[in-house]
Amino acid sequence: MGYRRATHAIVGTRMGGITLLSALLTALALPAAAQSPAPAKPDAAKPTSPAKPTAPAKPAAQAKPAAQPATGSKPAQAAKPAAPAPDPAYAAYQLGHYRTALDLAVERANKQGDPVSMVLAGELLSQGYGVRQDAAAAQKWYEAAAAKGNPDALFTLASILMTSASVTNKDEAVGMFRKAAEAGSSRAAYNLGLIYLQGQVAPREPAIAADWFRRAADEDQPDALYALATLYRDGNGLPKDPIEAARLLQRASELGNPVATTELAIIIFNGTGVPKDEERAAELFRKAALGGNAIAQNRYARILSAGRGVPKDTIAAAAWHLAAKAQKLDDSMLDKLVADLTPEERAQAQARLKIWSPGQLL
């Protein structure tokens, strides 16, 4: 029983963990007592819409020089530098004190021209955290930060432009992604890889796509590691190399990419570029299935039904099949397995599915 790959294409499928507009940073949940509102405005030409801020650079602490030892005495150890004080604006942001975070960020942005503070102000305004949502004010802050070369701001503005129907805007977005990538944004490098792989906004150049994916993968960007692995697997823009594909999939899986985990399980089950190991493959299928990946749920159901790499368990196989089916992934073979169950067994499988959520055992 061999298994085909987890996805048929990289671009255009969230199932593949890859979308052109990558998620910015994960939004912090609004606290029960979120502070409230009145949008702050930048002093001068400043920003536009969303992107999660990275923590403002923390001030470096200066170490006091070690005291000179007296003659004949043991030399004193150099004093350890004091830990740098946490950035007040970012600390307030992490605590959910969004209005305070905005006030502090705006103050520092206006007084010091700090681009990280500008990005934080833009994020708070674009998301409406602690203030009324104000995309126009947010955009000015992002633009101000981008003018200073901030990669997060460049990435966000490029992402906004990419949603436009205007070809001119999309071309400008490609240029901004490039600037952000050259300034160190792995997300921007990854998106450039997608742009050159897709061939809609820029000419389709798999070899150039591979170069951008590699830049992002070198920074441990999980989706880029997965994308680069698929190019090596398929020989698309790169020499075909199943061993390198397996290595990249392993790293992407370690970093939490569920599709990479599924793809890795498939090649380990089939012994493609790695030693065949059905038990290890079953563990990986289960891990990705627990994370909600429909293909992994389907494959795990199949190996449970056959007892390959795991003890045979028809009820669990049926439950996982129903989980995948709920995500619109059909399988006639497993449909028959469910149909052949007794009413009691089918009820058990359905009961397991009813209480299941990602991360829980079936």
Side-chain angles (χ1 to χ4, degrees), residues 154-238:
L154 287 163
F155 175 85
T156 300
L157 291 175
S159 298
I160 294 165
L161 287 170
M162 192 59 76
T163 64
S164 167
S166 164
V167 173
T168 301
N169 284 353
K170 290 182 186 294
D171 288 342
E172 188 179 350
V174 173
M176 282 193 172
F177 277 136
R178 187 181 298 276
K179 285 182 181 177
E182 288 170 350
S185 171
S186 62
R187 296 177 298 163
Y190 166 69
N191 276 6
L192 281 169
L194 291 181
I195 287 167
Y196 284 105
L197 188 64
Q198 186 183 40
Q200 294 181 4
V201 178
R204 187 176 186 280
E205 297 279 1
I208 294 176
D211 286 341
W212 286 114
F213 286 144
R214 183 174 284 104
R215 287 180 67 160
D218 286 346
E219 298 298 321
D220 265 354
Q221 212 286 338
D223 285 346
L225 285 159
Y226 171 71
L228 189 59
T230 64
L231 296 186
Y232 274 114
R233 179 197 66 198
D234 299 335
N236 186 12
L238 292 167

Side-chain angles (χ1 to χ4, degrees), residues 315 322 341-354:
I315 305 298
L322 293 173
L341 294 176
T342 65
E344 293 78 11
E345 289 171 331
R346 199 173 304 121
Q348 288 178 45
Q350 290 169 339
R352 290 195 193 187
L353 176 63
K354 199 173 288 185

Side-chain angles (χ1 to χ4, degrees), residues 4-56:
R4 284 187 271 173
R5 63 192 59 161
T7 56
H8 299 293
I10 294 177
V11 178
T13 167
R14 185 60 248 173
M15 185 169 65
I18 299 176
T19 56
L20 187 57
L21 302 179
S22 305
L24 306 179
L25 296 180
T26 307
L28 298 181
L30 277 169
Q35 301 180 38
S36 233
K41 303 267 179 161
D43 278 355
K46 318 217 157 156
T48 272
S49 314
K52 293 271 172 182
T54 52

Side-chain angles (χ1 to χ4, degrees), residues 35-40 98-99 102-103 124-134:
Q35 301 180 38
S36 233
Y98 299 131
R99 180 66 212 190
L102 179 61
D103 290 343
L124 291 163
L125 288 164
S126 70
Q127 298 296 329
Y129 291 162
V131 295
R132 287 191 306 274
Q133 198 168 23
D134 190 337

Side-chain angles (χ1 to χ4, degrees), residues 60-82:
Q62 291 188 344
K64 294 181 181 178
Q68 294 297 318
T71 307
S73 64
K74 291 184 179 178
Q77 289 187 342
K80 291 184 179 179

